[in-house]
């Protein structure tokens, strides 16, 4: 790892400094933040104004050719091109709320007037589009703009000059999309023709839909019901949301895509990226916006399932639905949004860790590849697959979004530095003559002539909000949430009251449709009663090896700035910190900042064009200012030499049946659980002289003299200890639980099991209990798992 020399950086940034002498770079004082805020705003205008001049009223602008980009009118089945381009001026509609957040009333008003004059009020447009994309970009954009225009507390409030027509437009569009739900299952078709519904649409493009696309219109449509009191939007889309959740496996994991015609799943794994991402997002955000306890339950259960079955230290893996084992060693660019959602849920600590992996990817590529493979491929698996098999990056917003949430939650300048880096990279690598082009290949830097609508509606919005610390949204006391397309949504308490008292569902077509769907559900449930669960007591004992970590850290450092002592792994910085500054917690106290670089050294390879690009977190000027604190020197945790594995206690088939989430995100002290059944436990093998996962040295005295025999009887007692009923023997190795159901245990935390072990004699030899009431696994004591009865 190399730290970019200060001199180089100064030259790169000289241009900025010339115009911004009122601040010291990385002091992040008011003037500096204001400078970046204005820069971000101007970048947005560069894209938006060019679109309006060169491409409006068409959907998009070619940022390199500098003319309009439209759908493929010749080939309706060209879904890659057409899905998000309905010939409805999508870039402008999707940008409305960025204008609102900028407080730009003039452009906001102008855009709304253009919608009134230019856009077909009935959306009777002969184009086939994706229901989900049209919902989040267009319907969501119209609804959020309507909220802004009618809220007197907002800068772009339009008062009496606005008659509320956007809400009627939103309703007209929703009526065009809703026929997609008229399937036998009640799950929506992926696409629909805005003028002709599903008539004459090629059946091939209606066969498969993904979980997010089927579940998520619920959010925008429910808001529409709140605002119009017509409850059909809510009921029809909510039925589909609940049905997607009902497709979950016994482990509460949801398949990523299935057929809207017969619910057949197309795959048997899940993750947090493409196809499933917004399901989680809208379960939580719907719970907040609509104060909906059932959605909250869905969020709790689904997030618990992910934590239990899919969580690695640094990302959520793609896991098998019925066993929760990692099946594909990659992560999607889209999953970068997930840490932001964790922040919203209150799991900030884990969010900071998950965000780091994406930060390292950004260090490498100045972008996030669509897919990155974290495990080096060996000859016998998928030979010769590049670590970036899908190498494009269309300036997606998810990493900026997560950075925004983490900054708002922690106020750690670390995240301002991330935002600063993103800002510089956008200027350097993505800005074109008339807009911003995505990268076709992050390894070569080849551009694609495309500016997706989310660049203006999301990427720049979140970046702007990071620097605009005083934005009106940040002091808003209503429960504002961002839609998955970054459109802010909120409801006033009067909206709740009027919705509850006035909602109606008059439309007989949709009412009858839902009634039929529910009848079919009841019939299906009856026939599945035959499939009795076989109550045979059985055990399944899974173990999975974790990759062994190489414990030698190597840093090539800028000697006059940072020196790293290899042995203790302590970084010490020079002493010129200015007292009015606080420090960055992530830089100064988080002791696993470089573990990712190390763990994934084989697949986090820099493209040759970036060989001398330094890691953003170690940029000298930033580091010098922020990496220290009054209490202690920054530290790197020593990497473990122990091995870890996972155990699933599938006792009486309870693995799948367990439904009592551990409602905590980490355990600092002792954890009590009712029984072992269904628990997924991470276990570390300790031996004298090892470094454990907490970075501590394991000493013989702490693991010796632990009784080993199983009090359940002689079956497993080795012949050599006959007679000695309770002798203690020296144990060369011992186990320790380090996580239970995805809840990490702090050093010294004990897991107490409050009921007697239920496995009895049948499992002796595999499971047991010693005379200290400790759990035994294969006759090895698990030193911190105690039966407390
Ligand atoms: C698409 O939009 C353009 C510009 O508004 C319009 O001229 C054209 O007729 C539209 N095409 C369809 C199929 O609606
Ligand atoms: C809709 O567009 C398709 C293909 O672009 C065309 O074949 C069809 O005639 C149009 N239908 C109507 C009702 O305009
Ligand atoms: C439903 O029908 C009632 C009675 O005809 C009518 O007053 C009401 O406006 C209708 N509501 C909606 C949402 O269409
Ligand atoms: C992998 O790439 C190497 C070198 O390019 C080649 O010799 C080898 O045949 C490839 N293996 C497979 C399975 O394609
Ligand atoms: C650990 O890394 C060092 C330096 O890269 C290397 O020399 C050594 O072989 C590695 N050890 C293992 C066990 O991979
Ligand atoms: C946790 O349990 C251990 C062993 O059972 C006990 O010694 C310790 O006091 C407990 N700690 C707390 C914080 O309850
Ligand atoms: C863990 O226990 C050891 C030995 O009792 C003690 O020295 C150490 O301070 C404890 N660490 C924490 C983090 O509680």
């Amino acid at each position: 790892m190399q730290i970019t020399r200060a001199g180089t950086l100064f030259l790169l940034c000289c241009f900025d400094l010339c115009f911004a002498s009122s601040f010291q770079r990385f002091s992040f004082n008011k003037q500096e933040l204001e400078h970046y805020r204005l820069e971000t705003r101007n970048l947005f205008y560069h894209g938006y104004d060019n679109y309006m001049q060169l491409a409006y009223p068409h959907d998009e602008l070619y940022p390199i050719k500098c003319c309009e980009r439209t759908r493929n009118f010749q080939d309706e089945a060209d879904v890659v091109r057409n899905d998000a381009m309905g010939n409805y001026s999508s870039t402008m509609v999707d940008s409305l709320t960025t204008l609102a957040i900028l407080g730009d009333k003039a452009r906001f008003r102008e855009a709304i007037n253009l919608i009134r004059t230019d856009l077909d009020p009935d959306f009777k447009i002969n184009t086939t589009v994706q229901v989900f994309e049209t919902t989040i970009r267009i319907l969501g954009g119209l609804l959020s703009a309507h909220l802004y225009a009618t809220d007197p507390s907002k800068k772009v409030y339009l008062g009496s000059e606005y008659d509320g027509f956007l809400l009627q437009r939103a309703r007209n569009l929703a009526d065009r999309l809703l026929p997609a739900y008229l399937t036998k299952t009640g799950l929506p078709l992926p696409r629909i023709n805005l003028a002709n519904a599903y008539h004459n649409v090629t059946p091939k493009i209606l066969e498969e839909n993904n979980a997010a696309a089927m579940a998520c219109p619920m959010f925008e449509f429910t808001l529409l019901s709140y605002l119009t009191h017509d409850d059909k939007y809510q009921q029809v889309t909510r039925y589909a949301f609940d049905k997607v959740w009902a497709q979950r496996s016994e482990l509460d994991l949801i398949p990523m895509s299935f057929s809207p015609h017969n619910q057949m799943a197309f795959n048997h794994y899940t993750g947090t990226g493409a196809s499933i991402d917004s399901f989680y997002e809208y379960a939580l955000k719907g719970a907040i916006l609509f104060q909906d306890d059932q959605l909250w339950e869905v969020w709790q259960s689904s997030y618990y399932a992910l934590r239990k079955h899919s969580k690695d230290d640094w990302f959520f893996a793609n896991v098998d639905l019925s066993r929760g084992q990692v099946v594909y060693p990659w992560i999607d660019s889209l999953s970068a949004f997930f840490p932001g959602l964790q922040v919203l849920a209150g799991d900030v600590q884990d969010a900071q860790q998950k965000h780091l992996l994406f930060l390292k990817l950004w260090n490498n590529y100045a972008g996030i590849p669509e897919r990155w493979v974290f495990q080096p491929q060996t000859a016998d698996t998928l030979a010769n697959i590049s670590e970036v098999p899908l190498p494009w990056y269309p300036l997606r917003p998810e990493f900026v979004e997560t950075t925004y949430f983490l900054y708002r939650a922690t106020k750690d300048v670390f995240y301002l530095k991330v935002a600063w880096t993103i800002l510089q990279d956008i200027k350097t690598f993505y800005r074109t003559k008339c807009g911003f082009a995505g990268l076709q290949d992050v390894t070569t830097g080849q551009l694609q002539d495309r500016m997706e609508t989310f660049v203006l509606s999301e990427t720049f919005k979140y970046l702007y909000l990071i620097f605009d610390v005083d934005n009106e949204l940040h002091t808003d006391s209503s429960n504002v949430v961002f839609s998955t397309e970054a459109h802010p949504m909120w409801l006033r308490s009067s909206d709740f009251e009027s919705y509850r008292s006035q909602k109606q569902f008059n439309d007989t077509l949709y009412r009858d449709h839902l009634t039929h769907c529910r009848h079919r559900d009841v019939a299906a449930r009856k026939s599945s009663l035959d499939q009795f669960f076989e109550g045979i007591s059985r055990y399944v004992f899974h173990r999975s090896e974790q990759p062994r970590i190489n414990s030698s850290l190597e840093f090539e450092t800028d000697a006059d700035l940072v020196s790293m002592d290899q042995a203790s792994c302590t970084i010490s910085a020079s002493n010129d910190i200015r007292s009015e500054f606080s420090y960055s917690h992530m830089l100064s106290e988080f002791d696993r900042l470089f573990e990712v670089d190390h763990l994934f050294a084989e697949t986090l390879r820099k493209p040759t064009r970036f060989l001398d690009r330094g890691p953003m977190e170690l940029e000298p000027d930033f580091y010098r200012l922020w990496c220290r604190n009054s209490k202690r020197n920054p530290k790197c945790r020593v990497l473990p030499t122990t091995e870890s594995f996972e155990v699933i206690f599938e006792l009486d088939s309870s693995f799948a049946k367990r439904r009592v989430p551990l409602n905590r995100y980490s355990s600092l002290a002792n954890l009590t659980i009712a029984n072992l059944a269904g628990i997924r436990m991470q276990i570390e093998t300790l031996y004298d002289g090892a470094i454990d996962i907490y970075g501590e040295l394991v000493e013989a005295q702490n693991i010796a003299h632990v009784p080993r025999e199983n009090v359940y009887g002689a079956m497993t007692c080795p012949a050599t200890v006959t007679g000695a009923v309770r002798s203690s023997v020296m144990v060369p190795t011992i186990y320790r639980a380090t996580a239970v159901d995805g809840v990490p245990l702090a050093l010294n935390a004990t897991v107490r099991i409050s009921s007697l072990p239920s496995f009895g004699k049948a499992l002796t030899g595999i499971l047991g209990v010693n005379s200290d009431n400790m759990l035994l696994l294969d006759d090895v004591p698990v030193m911190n798992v105690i039966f407390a009865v």
Side-chain angles (χ1 to χ4, degrees):
M1 189 180 300
Q2 206 175 353
I3 295 178
T4 312
R5 298 207 144 257
T8 324
L9 277 162
F10 182 78
L11 284 178
L12 274 178
C13 305
C14 174
F15 182 78
D16 285 348
L17 290 176
C18 301
F19 290 93
S21 49
S22 60
F23 59 83
Q24 180 193 356
R25 202 159 52 114
F26 305 135
S27 64
F28 295 121
N29 61 19
K30 281 244 165 199
Q31 290 92 325
E32 188 182 9
L33 291 175
E34 177 66 1
H35 180 76
Y36 303 142
R37 181 183 77 81
L38 293 175
E39 260 194 323
T40 308
R41 190 192 64 177
N42 293 340
L43 288 179
F44 168 82
Y45 283 150
H46 172 65
Y48 181 78
D49 289 346
N50 275 311
Y51 161 78
M52 291 304 289
Q53 262 173 33
L54 304 169
Y56 179 82
H58 303 282
D59 284 324
E60 291 182 11
L61 164 72
Y62 278 117
I64 297 173
K65 281 200 277 292
C66 297
C67 57
E68 76 274 9
R69 182 175 190 274
T70 67
R71 62 189 277 118
N72 181 350
F73 288 102
Q74 274 68 52
D75 182 5
E76 284 297 299
D78 181 358
V79 291
V80 174
R81 179 148 179 154
N82 292 347
D83 266 351
M85 297 219 276
N87 209 30
Y88 35 40
S89 308
S90 59
T91 298
M92 184 181 79
V93 178
D94 212 5
S95 297
L96 287 170
T97 60
T98 311
L99 295 170
I101 279 174
L102 296 176
D104 186 341
K105 196 163 172 173
R107 281 188 182 77
F108 182 71
R109 180 192 286 119
E110 180 194 40
I112 285 179
N113 287 337
L114 288 173
I115 290 176
R116 189 196 293 277
T117 54
D118 294 4
L119 203 57
D120 181 344
D122 288 326
F123 283 93
K124 194 169 195 289
I125 312 173
N126 182 10
T127 54
T128 301
V129 290
Q130 220 193 35
V131 174
F132 173 72
E133 292 296 346
T134 305
T135 300
I136 63 173
R137 297 186 197 208
I138 309 300
L139 184 62
L142 295 173
L143 286 173
S144 180
H146 170 76
L147 294 177
Y148 266 104
T150 54
D151 186 336
S153 73
K154 297 292 182 284
K155 277 190 181 147
V156 297
Y157 171 60
L158 293 177
S160 59
E161 63 179 287
Y162 172 69
D163 60 4
F165 82 104
L166 290 176
L167 183 59
Q168 185 55 46
R169 297 293 174 90
R171 195 173 174 156
N172 295 348
L173 176 59
D175 287 334
R176 300 263 160 209
L177 299 173
L178 213 54
Y181 287 80
L182 294 173
T183 60
K184 251 173 113 171
T185 59
L187 292 169
L189 299 169
R191 303 183 172 83
I192 199 152
N193 184 289
L194 292 175
N196 311 311
Y198 37 81
H199 307 296
N200 300 327
V201 178
T202 323
K204 188 166 55 88
I205 64 172
L206 302 180
E207 279 167 10
E208 179 179 351
N209 205 355
N210 67 58
M214 292 200 187
C216 292
M218 175 276 293
F219 187 79
E220 281 81 3
F221 278 70
T222 301
L223 181 62
L224 181 62
S225 282
Y226 269 83
L227 299 176
T228 61
H229 305 148
D230 186 342
D231 210 34
K232 77 174 168 192
Y233 306 110
Q234 187 271 131
Q235 292 206 26
V236 171
T237 56
R238 179 59 177 269
Y239 175 82
F241 181 94
D242 292 341
K243 197 151 196 172
V244 168
W245 177 229
Q247 307 304 306
R248 65 194 185 274
S249 72
E250 288 196 299
L251 304 189
D252 287 346
L253 298 170
I254 311 157
M256 306 233 276
S257 86
F258 27 98
S259 157
H261 305 294
N262 59 17
Q263 290 165 226
M264 190 189 76
F266 282 89
N267 46 39
H268 204 69
Y269 70 98
T270 195
T272 56
S275 300
I276 186 86
D277 46 2
S278 337
F279 177 87
Y280 298 103
E281 182 175 6
Y282 276 178
L284 177 57
K285 290 181 174 176
I288 297 169
L289 182 60
F290 307 119
Q291 303 180 10
D292 186 315
D293 292 342
Q294 281 162 347
L295 288 176
W296 177 244
E297 284 296 312
V298 174
W299 160 254
Q300 290 267 74
S301 306
S302 58
Y303 184 44
Y304 168 68
L306 275 182
R307 277 157 51 213
K308 177 169 177 177
H309 303 295
S310 148
K311 188 162 76 107
D312 179 273
D313 272 9
W314 304 104
F315 50 81
F316 289 88
N318 295 301
V319 294
D320 173 78
L321 294 175
S322 48
R323 281 275 155 239
Q325 282 159 335
V326 179
V327 283
Y328 294 113
W330 72 57
I331 57 167
D332 277 336
S333 164
L334 285 166
S335 63
F337 91 101
F338 203 82
L341 196 61
Q342 290 180 287
V343 171
L344 200 57
D347 194 358
V348 178
Q349 207 180 333
D350 197 52
Q352 291 188 287
Q353 238 168 277
K354 299 291 183 285
H355 173 267
L356 256 188
L357 180 67
F358 295 101
L359 181 152
K360 303 295 180 173
L361 283 167
W362 193 284
N363 274 344
N364 258 27
Y365 300 113
I368 312 278
E370 187 75 0
R371 176 171 292 170
W372 170 71
V373 178
F374 54 79
Q375 205 174 69
Q377 303 299 317
T378 52
D380 57 325
T381 58
L382 305 161
N384 286 355
I385 286 194
S386 148
E387 64 265 25
V388 282
L390 310 178
W392 55 88
Y393 176 60
L395 269 181
R396 287 194 187 284
E398 286 77 12
F399 179 57
V400 190
E401 175 183 347
T402 282
T403 304
Y404 165 68
F405 280 106
L406 278 168
Y407 178 61
R408 295 304 306 173
T410 64
K411 296 287 169 73
D412 189 332
V413 291
F414 186 79
Y415 299 108
L416 291 176
K417 176 61 172 64
V418 176
W420 180 89
T421 306
I422 293 168
L423 177 60
Q424 306 312 312
D425 287 341
I426 288 179
K427 288 191 295 186
T428 312
F429 303 112
Y430 298 88
R431 190 187 164 129
T432 59
K433 191 170 131 210
C434 50
F436 302 88
L439 285 182
Q440 186 58 37
D441 187 338
V442 292
T443 63
T444 62
Q446 185 202 341
L447 291 171
Q448 53 179 206
D449 198 356
R450 174 114 201 241
M451 179 169 75
E452 291 248 26
T453 67
F454 52 66
V455 176
L456 299 181
S457 91
E458 300 188 70
T459 310
F460 281 116
K461 186 185 282 159
Y462 284 122
L463 195 58
Y464 180 84
L465 281 171
I466 294 175
F467 297 125
D468 190 22
V469 285
D470 297 326
N471 193 275
E472 61 189 10
L473 276 186
H474 296 148
T475 49
D476 197 305
S477 59
S478 44
N479 269 339
V480 181
V481 293
F482 290 93
S483 77
T484 192
E485 189 73 4
H487 298 304
M489 311 270 182
W490 63 93
L491 286 168
R492 293 157 304 189
S493 53
S494 58
D495 294 324
F496 283 94
E497 283 150 32
S498 60
Y499 170 69
R500 276 178 197 137
S501 61
Q502 292 172 39
K503 65 181 173 185
Q504 265 156 339
F505 187 1
N506 292 351
D507 192 321
T508 48
L509 172 66
Y510 289 101
R511 255 195 1 219
D512 292 350
H513 166 66
L514 280 189
T515 307
H516 288 142
C517 289
R518 293 199 172 104
H519 281 315
R520 275 185 221 109
D521 291 344
V522 172
R525 228 171 276 143
K526 278 196 185 124
S527 72
S528 74
L529 274 178
D530 300 337
Q531 299 160 16
F532 263 108
F533 163 64
E534 291 172 55
I536 308 166
S537 173
R538 64 194 171 118
Y539 67 87
V540 182
F541 196 59
H542 306 281
R543 289 179 174 212
S544 59
E545 296 283 319
Q546 285 207 333
R548 214 195 141 110
I549 297 166
N550 187 334
S551 66
S552 69
L553 264 181
E554 280 182 301
F555 289 89
E556 192 184 321
T557 56
D558 191 336
D560 57 9
L561 177 72
V562 182
S563 68
M564 185 173 292
D565 172 346
Q566 292 266 347
S568 68
C569 198
T570 302
I571 302 169
S572 50
S574 47
N575 287 331
D576 63 342
I577 198 88
R578 292 167 50 185
S579 59
E580 70 263 38
F581 300 127
S582 184
Y583 63 95
S584 162
H585 165 81
M586 281 299 279
L587 207 53
S588 311
E589 291 183 338
F590 181 73
D591 61 2
R592 303 176 69 186
L593 203 51
F594 302 102
E595 217 172 295
V596 164
D597 303 77
H598 203 70
L599 269 177
F600 302 106
E602 278 185 76
T603 49
L604 266 178
R605 285 184 298 188
K606 274 204 183 110
T608 40
R609 70 193 182 108
F610 282 147
L611 284 182
D612 56 3
R613 182 181 159 93
M616 64 175 96
E617 65 278 24
L618 290 183
E619 188 163 331
D621 288 354
F622 172 69
Y623 189 91
R624 195 184 298 120
L625 278 175
W626 296 104
C627 181
R628 47 168 300 161
N629 66 70
S630 54
K631 290 174 233 140
R632 50 174 160 143
N633 276 329
K635 280 196 179 122
C636 270
R637 182 184 293 189
V638 182
L639 293 173
T641 58
T642 55
E643 283 181 24
S644 292
F645 57 91
E646 277 198 333
V647 177
I648 295 163
F649 295 94
E650 186 168 5
L651 306 163
D652 300 329
S653 295
S654 53
F655 175 43
K657 294 275 173 270
R658 188 177 178 80
R659 283 280 189 279
V660 189
L662 293 173
N663 280 325
R664 53 167 93 196
Y665 296 133
S666 67
S667 180
L668 292 173
N670 296 340
L671 185 68
T672 301
I673 53 179
N675 59 64
L676 267 184
I679 288 284
R680 187 173 195 129
M681 192 179 277
Q682 189 175 314
I683 290 184
E684 181 181 27
T685 307
L686 303 180
Y687 53 90
D688 184 23
I691 306 291
D692 67 16
I693 66 157
Y694 306 99
E696 303 286 332
L697 181 67
V698 178
E699 291 179 88
Q701 70 208 41
N702 296 332
I703 60 173
H705 302 294
V706 175
R708 264 184 100 101
E709 305 99 79
N710 190 347
V711 295
Y712 270 94
M715 265 178 74
T716 57
C717 283
T720 47
V721 289
T722 44
V725 180
R726 296 208 162 190
S727 74
S728 293
V729 291
M730 291 287 285
V731 263
T733 63
I734 196 167
Y735 292 153
R736 176 166 64 194
T738 51
V740 175
D741 279 5
V743 176
L745 300 171
L747 181 63
N748 297 352
T750 299
V751 182
R752 293 158 173 279
I753 321 270
S754 54
S755 72
L756 276 167
S758 56
F759 37 84
K761 253 192 160 173
L763 294 178
T764 46
I766 296 156
L767 300 180
V769 182
N770 74 7
S771 53
D772 285 355
N773 284 333
M774 246 175 227
L775 174 71
L776 298 175
L777 272 185
D778 288 338
D779 288 338
V780 179
V782 187
M783 61 185 278
N784 61 342
V785 179
I786 313 283
F787 290 95
V789 284

